[in-house]
Amino acid sequence: QVQLVESGGGLVQAGDSLRLSCAASGRTFSTYTMGWFRQAPGKEREFVATISWSGGSTYYANSVKGRFTISRDNGKKTVYLQMNSLKPEDTAVYYCAARAGIAGSFDYWGQGTQVTVSS
């Protein structure tokens, strides 16, 4: 069982940066693939980024590639999402998720943290 708690959201202006954190509980954090997803009002939840258990492989949605960076610290059981050059269209609730396998659905989800980018 893994519990995830996101933090770091807030209200910023376009062009600003934010770093989201996701703290995990459980002894097997270092074996999980971790991901960030987001859901804007009136829209479906969408993929943002994933990172492999070792941190050696990362994947990004085209909409955030070059602006967002996912990273993890297995010693601290924490995954991060550094968001630079934020745009109003990045406004959403951001969710952290964990997956036991290399592929497939994510098994565990956090409660989400709100990011609002004003123009």
Side-chain angles (χ1 to χ4, degrees), residues 35-58:
W36 286 97
F37 293 76
R38 67 187 183 186
Q39 186 167 20
K43 295 187 177 180
E44 294 187 353
R45 186 167 58 194
E46 64 175 5
F47 163 76
V48 175
T50 60
I51 187 167
S52 62
W53 66 271
S54 67
S57 295
T58 57

mmCIF file with all atom_site columns, all heavy atoms in Angstrom, residues 35-58:
data_model
loop_
_atom_site.group_PDB
_atom_site.id
_atom_site.type_symbol
_atom_site.label_atom_id
_atom_site.label_alt_id
_atom_site.label_comp_id
_atom_site.label_asym_id
_atom_site.label_entity_id
_atom_site.label_seq_id
_atom_site.pdbx_PDB_ins_code
_atom_site.Cartn_x
_atom_site.Cartn_y
_atom_site.Cartn_z
_atom_site.occupancy
_atom_site.B_iso_or_equiv
_atom_site.pdbx_formal_charge
_atom_site.auth_seq_id
_atom_site.auth_comp_id
_atom_site.auth_asym_id
_atom_site.auth_atom_id
_atom_site.pdbx_PDB_model_num
ATOM 1   N N   . GLY A 1 35 ? 4.165   9.124  -11.427 1.00 0.00 ? 35 GLY A N   1
ATOM 2   C CA  . GLY A 1 35 ? 3.662   9.997  -12.472 1.00 0.00 ? 35 GLY A CA  1
ATOM 3   C C   . GLY A 1 35 ? 2.953   11.212 -11.922 1.00 0.00 ? 35 GLY A C   1
ATOM 4   O O   . GLY A 1 35 ? 2.544   11.237 -10.761 1.00 0.00 ? 35 GLY A O   1
ATOM 5   N N   . TRP A 1 36 ? 2.837   12.207 -12.768 1.00 0.00 ? 36 TRP A N   1
ATOM 6   C CA  . TRP A 1 36 ? 2.027   13.388 -12.495 1.00 0.00 ? 36 TRP A CA  1
ATOM 7   C C   . TRP A 1 36 ? 0.951   13.488 -13.580 1.00 0.00 ? 36 TRP A C   1
ATOM 8   O O   . TRP A 1 36 ? 1.239   13.300 -14.765 1.00 0.00 ? 36 TRP A O   1
ATOM 9   C CB  . TRP A 1 36 ? 2.867   14.653 -12.505 1.00 0.00 ? 36 TRP A CB  1
ATOM 10  C CG  . TRP A 1 36 ? 3.738   14.831 -11.293 1.00 0.00 ? 36 TRP A CG  1
ATOM 11  C CD1 . TRP A 1 36 ? 5.051   14.517 -11.174 1.00 0.00 ? 36 TRP A CD1 1
ATOM 12  C CD2 . TRP A 1 36 ? 3.337   15.374 -10.023 1.00 0.00 ? 36 TRP A CD2 1
ATOM 13  N NE1 . TRP A 1 36 ? 5.506   14.818 -9.912  1.00 0.00 ? 36 TRP A NE1 1
ATOM 14  C CE2 . TRP A 1 36 ? 4.480   15.346 -9.190  1.00 0.00 ? 36 TRP A CE2 1
ATOM 15  C CE3 . TRP A 1 36 ? 2.143   15.866 -9.508  1.00 0.00 ? 36 TRP A CE3 1
ATOM 16  C CZ2 . TRP A 1 36 ? 4.452   15.801 -7.872  1.00 0.00 ? 36 TRP A CZ2 1
ATOM 17  C CZ3 . TRP A 1 36 ? 2.118   16.315 -8.199  1.00 0.00 ? 36 TRP A CZ3 1
ATOM 18  C CH2 . TRP A 1 36 ? 3.256   16.278 -7.397  1.00 0.00 ? 36 TRP A CH2 1
ATOM 19  N N   . PHE A 1 37 ? -0.243  13.783 -13.140 1.00 0.00 ? 37 PHE A N   1
ATOM 20  C CA  . PHE A 1 37 ? -1.368  13.990 -14.034 1.00 0.00 ? 37 PHE A CA  1
ATOM 21  C C   . PHE A 1 37 ? -2.036  15.301 -13.624 1.00 0.00 ? 37 PHE A C   1
ATOM 22  O O   . PHE A 1 37 ? -1.769  15.831 -12.541 1.00 0.00 ? 37 PHE A O   1
ATOM 23  C CB  . PHE A 1 37 ? -2.378  12.841 -13.906 1.00 0.00 ? 37 PHE A CB  1
ATOM 24  C CG  . PHE A 1 37 ? -1.843  11.525 -14.390 1.00 0.00 ? 37 PHE A CG  1
ATOM 25  C CD1 . PHE A 1 37 ? -0.945  10.792 -13.631 1.00 0.00 ? 37 PHE A CD1 1
ATOM 26  C CD2 . PHE A 1 37 ? -2.230  11.014 -15.616 1.00 0.00 ? 37 PHE A CD2 1
ATOM 27  C CE1 . PHE A 1 37 ? -0.439  9.578  -14.074 1.00 0.00 ? 37 PHE A CE1 1
ATOM 28  C CE2 . PHE A 1 37 ? -1.740  9.803  -16.076 1.00 0.00 ? 37 PHE A CE2 1
ATOM 29  C CZ  . PHE A 1 37 ? -0.842  9.091  -15.302 1.00 0.00 ? 37 PHE A CZ  1
ATOM 30  N N   . ARG A 1 38 ? -2.907  15.807 -14.471 1.00 0.00 ? 38 ARG A N   1
ATOM 31  C CA  . ARG A 1 38 ? -3.627  17.023 -14.115 1.00 0.00 ? 38 ARG A CA  1
ATOM 32  C C   . ARG A 1 38 ? -5.034  16.997 -14.686 1.00 0.00 ? 38 ARG A C   1
ATOM 33  O O   . ARG A 1 38 ? -5.301  16.325 -15.677 1.00 0.00 ? 38 ARG A O   1
ATOM 34  C CB  . ARG A 1 38 ? -2.882  18.268 -14.597 1.00 0.00 ? 38 ARG A CB  1
ATOM 35  C CG  . ARG A 1 38 ? -2.802  18.420 -16.104 1.00 0.00 ? 38 ARG A CG  1
ATOM 36  C CD  . ARG A 1 38 ? -1.892  19.597 -16.461 1.00 0.00 ? 38 ARG A CD  1
ATOM 37  N NE  . ARG A 1 38 ? -1.838  19.828 -17.898 1.00 0.00 ? 38 ARG A NE  1
ATOM 38  C CZ  . ARG A 1 38 ? -1.042  20.707 -18.481 1.00 0.00 ? 38 ARG A CZ  1
ATOM 39  N NH1 . ARG A 1 38 ? -0.224  21.476 -17.737 1.00 0.00 ? 38 ARG A NH1 1
ATOM 40  N NH2 . ARG A 1 38 ? -1.054  20.874 -19.797 1.00 0.00 ? 38 ARG A NH2 1
ATOM 41  N N   . GLN A 1 39 ? -5.911  17.743 -14.041 1.00 0.00 ? 39 GLN A N   1
ATOM 42  C CA  . GLN A 1 39 ? -7.286  17.840 -14.507 1.00 0.00 ? 39 GLN A CA  1
ATOM 43  C C   . GLN A 1 39 ? -7.748  19.281 -14.387 1.00 0.00 ? 39 GLN A C   1
ATOM 44  O O   . GLN A 1 39 ? -7.797  19.829 -13.278 1.00 0.00 ? 39 GLN A O   1
ATOM 45  C CB  . GLN A 1 39 ? -8.208  16.920 -13.712 1.00 0.00 ? 39 GLN A CB  1
ATOM 46  C CG  . GLN A 1 39 ? -9.615  16.871 -14.258 1.00 0.00 ? 39 GLN A CG  1
ATOM 47  C CD  . GLN A 1 39 ? -10.430 15.742 -13.668 1.00 0.00 ? 39 GLN A CD  1
ATOM 48  O OE1 . GLN A 1 39 ? -10.107 15.204 -12.607 1.00 0.00 ? 39 GLN A OE1 1
ATOM 49  N NE2 . GLN A 1 39 ? -11.488 15.358 -14.347 1.00 0.00 ? 39 GLN A NE2 1
ATOM 50  N N   . ALA A 1 40 ? -8.053  19.863 -15.532 1.00 0.00 ? 40 ALA A N   1
ATOM 51  C CA  . ALA A 1 40 ? -8.565  21.225 -15.580 1.00 0.00 ? 40 ALA A CA  1
ATOM 52  C C   . ALA A 1 40 ? -10.090 21.196 -15.457 1.00 0.00 ? 40 ALA A C   1
ATOM 53  O O   . ALA A 1 40 ? -10.716 20.179 -15.761 1.00 0.00 ? 40 ALA A O   1
ATOM 54  C CB  . ALA A 1 40 ? -8.149  21.892 -16.883 1.00 0.00 ? 40 ALA A CB  1
ATOM 55  N N   . PRO A 1 41 ? -10.694 22.290 -15.034 1.00 0.00 ? 41 PRO A N   1
ATOM 56  C CA  . PRO A 1 41 ? -12.156 22.324 -14.893 1.00 0.00 ? 41 PRO A CA  1
ATOM 57  C C   . PRO A 1 41 ? -12.852 21.962 -16.201 1.00 0.00 ? 41 PRO A C   1
ATOM 58  O O   . PRO A 1 41 ? -12.519 22.503 -17.264 1.00 0.00 ? 41 PRO A O   1
ATOM 59  C CB  . PRO A 1 41 ? -12.430 23.774 -14.516 1.00 0.00 ? 41 PRO A CB  1
ATOM 60  C CG  . PRO A 1 41 ? -11.180 24.244 -13.873 1.00 0.00 ? 41 PRO A CG  1
ATOM 61  C CD  . PRO A 1 41 ? -10.066 23.545 -14.594 1.00 0.00 ? 41 PRO A CD  1
ATOM 62  N N   . GLY A 1 42 ? -13.777 21.042 -16.119 1.00 0.00 ? 42 GLY A N   1
ATOM 63  C CA  . GLY A 1 42 ? -14.546 20.648 -17.277 1.00 0.00 ? 42 GLY A CA  1
ATOM 64  C C   . GLY A 1 42 ? -13.832 19.744 -18.252 1.00 0.00 ? 42 GLY A C   1
ATOM 65  O O   . GLY A 1 42 ? -14.358 19.435 -19.321 1.00 0.00 ? 42 GLY A O   1
ATOM 66  N N   . LYS A 1 43 ? -12.630 19.308 -17.892 1.00 0.00 ? 43 LYS A N   1
ATOM 67  C CA  . LYS A 1 43 ? -11.848 18.448 -18.785 1.00 0.00 ? 43 LYS A CA  1
ATOM 68  C C   . LYS A 1 43 ? -11.496 17.143 -18.092 1.00 0.00 ? 43 LYS A C   1
ATOM 69  O O   . LYS A 1 43 ? -11.556 17.033 -16.869 1.00 0.00 ? 43 LYS A O   1
ATOM 70  C CB  . LYS A 1 43 ? -10.572 19.162 -19.227 1.00 0.00 ? 43 LYS A CB  1
ATOM 71  C CG  . LYS A 1 43 ? -10.810 20.406 -20.077 1.00 0.00 ? 43 LYS A CG  1
ATOM 72  C CD  . LYS A 1 43 ? -9.507  20.964 -20.608 1.00 0.00 ? 43 LYS A CD  1
ATOM 73  C CE  . LYS A 1 43 ? -9.746  22.164 -21.502 1.00 0.00 ? 43 LYS A CE  1
ATOM 74  N NZ  . LYS A 1 43 ? -8.479  22.722 -22.032 1.00 0.00 ? 43 LYS A NZ  1
ATOM 75  N N   . GLU A 1 44 ? -11.116 16.169 -18.899 1.00 0.00 ? 44 GLU A N   1
ATOM 76  C CA  . GLU A 1 44 ? -10.696 14.892 -18.350 1.00 0.00 ? 44 GLU A CA  1
ATOM 77  C C   . GLU A 1 44 ? -9.264  15.006 -17.804 1.00 0.00 ? 44 GLU A C   1
ATOM 78  O O   . GLU A 1 44 ? -8.484  15.849 -18.237 1.00 0.00 ? 44 GLU A O   1
ATOM 79  C CB  . GLU A 1 44 ? -10.769 13.808 -19.416 1.00 0.00 ? 44 GLU A CB  1
ATOM 80  C CG  . GLU A 1 44 ? -12.180 13.504 -19.882 1.00 0.00 ? 44 GLU A CG  1
ATOM 81  C CD  . GLU A 1 44 ? -12.227 12.309 -20.809 1.00 0.00 ? 44 GLU A CD  1
ATOM 82  O OE1 . GLU A 1 44 ? -11.162 11.801 -21.190 1.00 0.00 ? 44 GLU A OE1 1
ATOM 83  O OE2 . GLU A 1 44 ? -13.346 11.879 -21.155 1.00 0.00 ? 44 GLU A OE2 1
ATOM 84  N N   . ARG A 1 45 ? -8.970  14.106 -16.889 1.00 0.00 ? 45 ARG A N   1
ATOM 85  C CA  . ARG A 1 45 ? -7.614  14.058 -16.365 1.00 0.00 ? 45 ARG A CA  1
ATOM 86  C C   . ARG A 1 45 ? -6.651  13.669 -17.472 1.00 0.00 ? 45 ARG A C   1
ATOM 87  O O   . ARG A 1 45 ? -6.943  12.766 -18.269 1.00 0.00 ? 45 ARG A O   1
ATOM 88  C CB  . ARG A 1 45 ? -7.537  13.076 -15.212 1.00 0.00 ? 45 ARG A CB  1
ATOM 89  C CG  . ARG A 1 45 ? -6.207  13.053 -14.484 1.00 0.00 ? 45 ARG A CG  1
ATOM 90  C CD  . ARG A 1 45 ? -6.334  12.295 -13.178 1.00 0.00 ? 45 ARG A CD  1
ATOM 91  N NE  . ARG A 1 45 ? -6.796  10.937 -13.380 1.00 0.00 ? 45 ARG A NE  1
ATOM 92  C CZ  . ARG A 1 45 ? -7.240  10.158 -12.397 1.00 0.00 ? 45 ARG A CZ  1
ATOM 93  N NH1 . ARG A 1 45 ? -7.287  10.631 -11.149 1.00 0.00 ? 45 ARG A NH1 1
ATOM 94  N NH2 . ARG A 1 45 ? -7.642  8.936  -12.644 1.00 0.00 ? 45 ARG A NH2 1
ATOM 95  N N   . GLU A 1 46 ? -5.489  14.316 -17.512 1.00 0.00 ? 46 GLU A N   1
ATOM 96  C CA  . GLU A 1 46 ? -4.524  14.041 -18.570 1.00 0.00 ? 46 GLU A CA  1
ATOM 97  C C   . GLU A 1 46 ? -3.142  13.781 -17.990 1.00 0.00 ? 46 GLU A C   1
ATOM 98  O O   . GLU A 1 46 ? -2.777  14.277 -16.933 1.00 0.00 ? 46 GLU A O   1
ATOM 99  C CB  . GLU A 1 46 ? -4.450  15.198 -19.574 1.00 0.00 ? 46 GLU A CB  1
ATOM 100 C CG  . GLU A 1 46 ? -3.937  16.502 -18.999 1.00 0.00 ? 46 GLU A CG  1
ATOM 101 C CD  . GLU A 1 46 ? -3.773  17.591 -20.058 1.00 0.00 ? 46 GLU A CD  1
ATOM 102 O OE1 . GLU A 1 46 ? -4.134  17.372 -21.222 1.00 0.00 ? 46 GLU A OE1 1
ATOM 103 O OE2 . GLU A 1 46 ? -3.281  18.673 -19.696 1.00 0.00 ? 46 GLU A OE2 1
ATOM 104 N N   . PHE A 1 47 ? -2.386  13.022 -18.744 1.00 0.00 ? 47 PHE A N   1
ATOM 105 C CA  . PHE A 1 47 ? -1.015  12.679 -18.387 1.00 0.00 ? 47 PHE A CA  1
ATOM 106 C C   . PHE A 1 47 ? -0.108  13.898 -18.492 1.00 0.00 ? 47 PHE A C   1
ATOM 107 O O   . PHE A 1 47 ? -0.238  14.707 -19.425 1.00 0.00 ? 47 PHE A O   1
ATOM 108 C CB  . PHE A 1 47 ? -0.529  11.577 -19.328 1.00 0.00 ? 47 PHE A CB  1
ATOM 109 C CG  . PHE A 1 47 ? 0.956   11.401 -19.365 1.00 0.00 ? 47 PHE A CG  1
ATOM 110 C CD1 . PHE A 1 47 ? 1.612   10.765 -18.325 1.00 0.00 ? 47 PHE A CD1 1
ATOM 111 C CD2 . PHE A 1 47 ? 1.687   11.863 -20.447 1.00 0.00 ? 47 PHE A CD2 1
ATOM 112 C CE1 . PHE A 1 47 ? 2.985   10.600 -18.362 1.00 0.00 ? 47 PHE A CE1 1
ATOM 113 C CE2 . PHE A 1 47 ? 3.056   11.692 -20.501 1.00 0.00 ? 47 PHE A CE2 1
ATOM 114 C CZ  . PHE A 1 47 ? 3.706   11.061 -19.456 1.00 0.00 ? 47 PHE A CZ  1
ATOM 115 N N   . VAL A 1 48 ? 0.804   14.046 -17.546 1.00 0.00 ? 48 VAL A N   1
ATOM 116 C CA  . VAL A 1 48 ? 1.782   15.130 -17.585 1.00 0.00 ? 48 VAL A CA  1
ATOM 117 C C   . VAL A 1 48 ? 3.193   14.565 -17.736 1.00 0.00 ? 48 VAL A C   1
ATOM 118 O O   . VAL A 1 48 ? 3.926   14.936 -18.658 1.00 0.00 ? 48 VAL A O   1
ATOM 119 C CB  . VAL A 1 48 ? 1.706   16.004 -16.318 1.00 0.00 ? 48 VAL A CB  1
ATOM 120 C CG1 . VAL A 1 48 ? 2.828   17.045 -16.323 1.00 0.00 ? 48 VAL A CG1 1
ATOM 121 C CG2 . VAL A 1 48 ? 0.353   16.675 -16.208 1.00 0.00 ? 48 VAL A CG2 1
ATOM 122 N N   . ALA A 1 49 ? 3.583   13.673 -16.828 1.00 0.00 ? 49 ALA A N   1
ATOM 123 C CA  . ALA A 1 49 ? 4.948   13.143 -16.864 1.00 0.00 ? 49 ALA A CA  1
ATOM 124 C C   . ALA A 1 49 ? 5.035   11.877 -16.025 1.00 0.00 ? 49 ALA A C   1
ATOM 125 O O   . ALA A 1 49 ? 4.253   11.680 -15.095 1.00 0.00 ? 49 ALA A O   1
ATOM 126 C CB  . ALA A 1 49 ? 5.938   14.179 -16.340 1.00 0.00 ? 49 ALA A CB  1
ATOM 127 N N   . THR A 1 50 ? 5.989   11.010 -16.369 1.00 0.00 ? 50 THR A N   1
ATOM 128 C CA  . THR A 1 50 ? 6.288   9.844  -15.552 1.00 0.00 ? 50 THR A CA  1
ATOM 129 C C   . THR A 1 50 ? 7.794   9.713  -15.398 1.00 0.00 ? 50 THR A C   1
ATOM 130 O O   . THR A 1 50 ? 8.574   10.244 -16.205 1.00 0.00 ? 50 THR A O   1
ATOM 131 C CB  . THR A 1 50 ? 5.757   8.530  -16.155 1.00 0.00 ? 50 THR A CB  1
ATOM 132 O OG1 . THR A 1 50 ? 6.350   8.339  -17.442 1.00 0.00 ? 50 THR A OG1 1
ATOM 133 C CG2 . THR A 1 50 ? 4.258   8.524  -16.258 1.00 0.00 ? 50 THR A CG2 1
ATOM 134 N N   . ILE A 1 51 ? 8.188   8.980  -14.364 1.00 0.00 ? 51 ILE A N   1
ATOM 135 C CA  . ILE A 1 51 ? 9.591   8.723  -14.104 1.00 0.00 ? 51 ILE A CA  1
ATOM 136 C C   . ILE A 1 51 ? 9.734   7.291  -13.623 1.00 0.00 ? 51 ILE A C   1
ATOM 137 O O   . ILE A 1 51 ? 8.926   6.809  -12.823 1.00 0.00 ? 51 ILE A O   1
ATOM 138 C CB  . ILE A 1 51 ? 10.167  9.730  -13.086 1.00 0.00 ? 51 ILE A CB  1
ATOM 139 C CG1 . ILE A 1 51 ? 11.679  9.568  -12.941 1.00 0.00 ? 51 ILE A CG1 1
ATOM 140 C CG2 . ILE A 1 51 ? 9.456   9.629  -11.735 1.00 0.00 ? 51 ILE A CG2 1
ATOM 141 C CD1 . ILE A 1 51 ? 12.340  10.731 -12.195 1.00 0.00 ? 51 ILE A CD1 1
ATOM 142 N N   . SER A 1 52 ? 10.739  6.602  -14.113 1.00 0.00 ? 52 SER A N   1
ATOM 143 C CA  . SER A 1 52 ? 10.955  5.205  -13.736 1.00 0.00 ? 52 SER A CA  1
ATOM 144 C C   . SER A 1 52 ? 11.448  5.098  -12.299 1.00 0.00 ? 52 SER A C   1
ATOM 145 O O   . SER A 1 52 ? 11.819  6.091  -11.669 1.00 0.00 ? 52 SER A O   1
ATOM 146 C CB  . SER A 1 52 ? 11.981  4.575  -14.680 1.00 0.00 ? 52 SER A CB  1
ATOM 147 O OG  . SER A 1 52 ? 13.233  5.250  -14.555 1.00 0.00 ? 52 SER A OG  1
ATOM 148 N N   . TRP A 1 53 ? 11.497  3.858  -11.806 1.00 0.00 ? 53 TRP A N   1
ATOM 149 C CA  . TRP A 1 53 ? 11.865  3.651  -10.405 1.00 0.00 ? 53 TRP A CA  1
ATOM 150 C C   . TRP A 1 53 ? 13.255  4.194  -10.103 1.00 0.00 ? 53 TRP A C   1
ATOM 151 O O   . TRP A 1 53 ? 13.510  4.689  -8.998  1.00 0.00 ? 53 TRP A O   1
ATOM 152 C CB  . TRP A 1 53 ? 11.793  2.174  -10.052 1.00 0.00 ? 53 TRP A CB  1
ATOM 153 C CG  . TRP A 1 53 ? 12.822  1.341  -10.773 1.00 0.00 ? 53 TRP A CG  1
ATOM 154 C CD1 . TRP A 1 53 ? 12.697  0.742  -11.985 1.00 0.00 ? 53 TRP A CD1 1
ATOM 155 C CD2 . TRP A 1 53 ? 14.143  1.034  -10.316 1.00 0.00 ? 53 TRP A CD2 1
ATOM 156 N NE1 . TRP A 1 53 ? 13.850  0.090  -12.316 1.00 0.00 ? 53 TRP A NE1 1
ATOM 157 C CE2 . TRP A 1 53 ? 14.762  0.247  -11.297 1.00 0.00 ? 53 TRP A CE2 1
ATOM 158 C CE3 . TRP A 1 53 ? 14.868  1.355  -9.163  1.00 0.00 ? 53 TRP A CE3 1
ATOM 159 C CZ2 . TRP A 1 53 ? 16.059  -0.234 -11.181 1.00 0.00 ? 53 TRP A CZ2 1
ATOM 160 C CZ3 . TRP A 1 53 ? 16.160  0.881  -9.025  1.00 0.00 ? 53 TRP A CZ3 1
ATOM 161 C CH2 . TRP A 1 53 ? 16.734  0.094  -10.036 1.00 0.00 ? 53 TRP A CH2 1
ATOM 162 N N   . SER A 1 54 ? 14.147  4.129  -11.061 1.00 0.00 ? 54 SER A N   1
ATOM 163 C CA  . SER A 1 54 ? 15.520  4.582  -10.833 1.00 0.00 ? 54 SER A CA  1
ATOM 164 C C   . SER A 1 54 ? 15.704  6.059  -11.134 1.00 0.00 ? 54 SER A C   1
ATOM 165 O O   . SER A 1 54 ? 16.733  6.647  -10.786 1.00 0.00 ? 54 SER A O   1
ATOM 166 C CB  . SER A 1 54 ? 16.479  3.782  -11.706 1.00 0.00 ? 54 SER A CB  1
ATOM 167 O OG  . SER A 1 54 ? 16.239  4.095  -13.072 1.00 0.00 ? 54 SER A OG  1
ATOM 168 N N   . GLY A 1 55 ? 14.729  6.636  -11.810 1.00 0.00 ? 55 GLY A N   1
ATOM 169 C CA  . GLY A 1 55 ? 14.883  8.006  -12.269 1.00 0.00 ? 55 GLY A CA  1
ATOM 170 C C   . GLY A 1 55 ? 15.583  8.107  -13.609 1.00 0.00 ? 55 GLY A C   1
ATOM 171 O O   . GLY A 1 55 ? 15.755  9.195  -14.141 1.00 0.00 ? 55 GLY A O   1
ATOM 172 N N   . GLY A 1 56 ? 15.956  6.969  -14.164 1.00 0.00 ? 56 GLY A N   1
ATOM 173 C CA  . GLY A 1 56 ? 16.717  6.992  -15.398 1.00 0.00 ? 56 GLY A CA  1
ATOM 174 C C   . GLY A 1 56 ? 15.903  7.255  -16.643 1.00 0.00 ? 56 GLY A C   1
ATOM 175 O O   . GLY A 1 56 ? 16.458  7.634  -17.684 1.00 0.00 ? 56 GLY A O   1
ATOM 176 N N   . SER A 1 57 ? 14.602  7.040  -16.557 1.00 0.00 ? 57 SER A N   1
ATOM 177 C CA  . SER A 1 57 ? 13.731  7.259  -17.721 1.00 0.00 ? 57 SER A CA  1
ATOM 178 C C   . SER A 1 57 ? 12.598  8.199  -17.337 1.00 0.00 ? 57 SER A C   1
ATOM 179 O O   . SER A 1 57 ? 11.943  8.004  -16.317 1.00 0.00 ? 57 SER A O   1
ATOM 180 C CB  . SER A 1 57 ? 13.144  5.939  -18.205 1.00 0.00 ? 57 SER A CB  1
ATOM 181 O OG  . SER A 1 57 ? 14.161  5.087  -18.680 1.00 0.00 ? 57 SER A OG  1
ATOM 182 N N   . THR A 1 58 ? 12.398  9.191  -18.165 1.00 0.00 ? 58 THR A N   1
ATOM 183 C CA  . THR A 1 58 ? 11.301  10.133 -17.953 1.00 0.00 ? 58 THR A CA  1
ATOM 184 C C   . THR A 1 58 ? 10.540  10.327 -19.258 1.00 0.00 ? 58 THR A C   1
ATOM 185 O O   . THR A 1 58 ? 11.118  10.187 -20.353 1.00 0.00 ? 58 THR A O   1
ATOM 186 C CB  . THR A 1 58 ? 11.812  11.497 -17.465 1.00 0.00 ? 58 THR A CB  1
ATOM 187 O OG1 . THR A 1 58 ? 12.763  12.014 -18.405 1.00 0.00 ? 58 THR A OG1 1
ATOM 188 C CG2 . THR A 1 58 ? 12.479  11.382 -16.093 1.00 0.00 ? 58 THR A CG2 1
#
